[in-house]
Amino acid sequence: LEGFALAPYLDLLNHNPQVQVHAEFNNTSRCYEIKATLPYKRYDQVFICYGPHDNHRLLLEYGFVSSNNPHSVVYIEKDVIFACLSKKDKQIAQKMSILKEHGFLENLTFDFDGSSWRLFTALKLLCLEPEEFNLWKNVLHGASVSEGNEKKSLELAKRICLHLIHENQEAMQKVSVLKKARSELQEHLQMVEALRLEELRILQASAEVLANLTSVVSSMT
């Protein structure tokens, strides 16, 4: 396959999301070279970074999760968003259709800094009042419609975040029970637990960021 190659010994180097290296093929030596940007002491383990991968990708492609991964995010499914929306909004179906058509129902995430731009943009569109609905294109281009829309969007983001925190806590309780009952699954369950714990930390950090932003917006109105 184009872009793939066998590199003997390269797989012996473990991943650390914090490190940086320069890796390239040296045409003079005819060797693939990896150079660390920081010095290592003798006998220290040398790490490389497999790329800016979140823990979901690391688990799926490499079979492990990385603690304190700065690239970790929590992906938000459209069903979760729908469950947290007000069912009184008669334009929900139309709004969801617009988001789907413009690719705004994919790659929606929370990270340690709160909601991603894509997620918050989607929520702003979903929170448009009937009299604001004709401005949906402006929202997708990043425009601010009104202070009321910003506040509603933040409150919806916080509601989604708290919903996912509760889901994660329930999932971790089930994993804890399984760890006691199924000793043969310990290794797999520990990875699931680590992934869930990382997601919980992200969501708790996001909830705090969103609460602070909501207070700021409320003080301005």
Side-chain angles (χ1 to χ4, degrees):
L1 293 175
E2 185 178 349
F4 288 85
L6 290 174
Y9 301 108
L10 187 59
D11 285 341
L12 296 176
L13 295 169
N14 287 322
H15 169 76
N16 185 327
Q18 309 289 348
V19 305
Q20 292 183 348
V21 297
H22 294 302
E24 62 183 356
F25 184 79
N26 188 320
N27 287 312
T28 302
S29 65
R30 307 300 296 170
C31 294
Y32 187 79
E33 297 178 351
I34 298 174
K35 297 180 180 180
T37 57
L38 296 174
Y40 281 87
K41 295 180 181 179
R42 191 177 184 183
Y43 301 122
D44 280 354
Q45 181 178 179
V46 177
F47 291 93
I48 62 173
C49 179
Y50 295 173
H53 304 323
D54 60 67
N55 275 337
H56 281 273
R57 184 169 177 182
L58 288 176
L59 182 58
L60 287 172
E61 295 192 6
Y62 301 102
F64 69 88
V65 295
S66 177
S67 59
N68 301 316
N69 186 349
H71 308 297
S72 285
V73 294
V74 176
Y75 290 94
I76 316 303
E77 300 294 334
K78 64 179 180 180
D79 292 343
V80 172
I81 296 175
F82 189 80
C84 295
L85 288 171
S86 170
K87 302 304 181 287
K88 296 179 182 179
D89 188 350
K90 296 180 180 179
Q91 294 177 309
I92 287 180
Q94 192 175 358
K95 291 174 179 177
M96 294 292 279
S97 177
I98 290 172
L99 291 174
K100 182 179 179 180
E101 182 182 349
H102 291 82
F104 271 84
L105 288 179
E106 298 175 353
N107 296 320
L108 307 178
T109 59
F110 283 117
D111 57 32
F112 285 106
D113 295 321
S115 61
S116 65
W117 179 84
R118 287 179 61 81
L119 173 59
F120 196 63
T121 298
L123 299 186
K124 284 168 62 178
L125 192 148
L126 289 169
C127 289
L128 288 173
E129 296 290 349
E131 62 273 17
E132 300 173 329
F133 185 66
N134 63 320
L135 300 173
W136 65 265
K137 288 184 179 179
N138 300 40
V139 172
L140 293 186
H141 288 131
S144 177
V145 173
S146 65
E147 290 182 357
N149 179 260
E150 294 286 324
K151 186 177 179 180
K152 283 183 63 179
S153 304
L154 285 169
E155 288 172 349
L156 177 56
K158 187 168 64 173
R159 194 155 63 245
I160 293 170
C161 197
L162 294 176
H163 173 85
L164 291 171
I165 286 174
H166 179 68
E167 275 194 353
N168 262 270
Q169 289 171 334
E170 285 190 336
M172 288 182 69
Q173 288 176 355
K174 292 178 181 177
V175 171
S176 181
V177 171
L178 279 172
K179 283 175 69 179
K180 295 176 181 178
R182 302 289 300 275
S183 57
E184 74 277 12
L185 297 176
Q186 285 293 312
E187 185 177 349
H188 295 88
L189 290 172
Q190 284 173 358
M191 284 194 289
V192 172
E193 188 176 53
L195 190 61
R196 285 289 188 176
L197 186 59
E198 185 83 355
E199 288 189 351
L200 187 58
R201 284 198 292 262
I202 292 170
L203 291 167
Q204 288 170 337
S206 285
E208 186 175 350
V209 170
L210 292 167
N212 292 335
L213 287 172
T214 302
S215 298
V216 171
V217 172
S218 297
S219 67
M220 294 171 62
T221 56

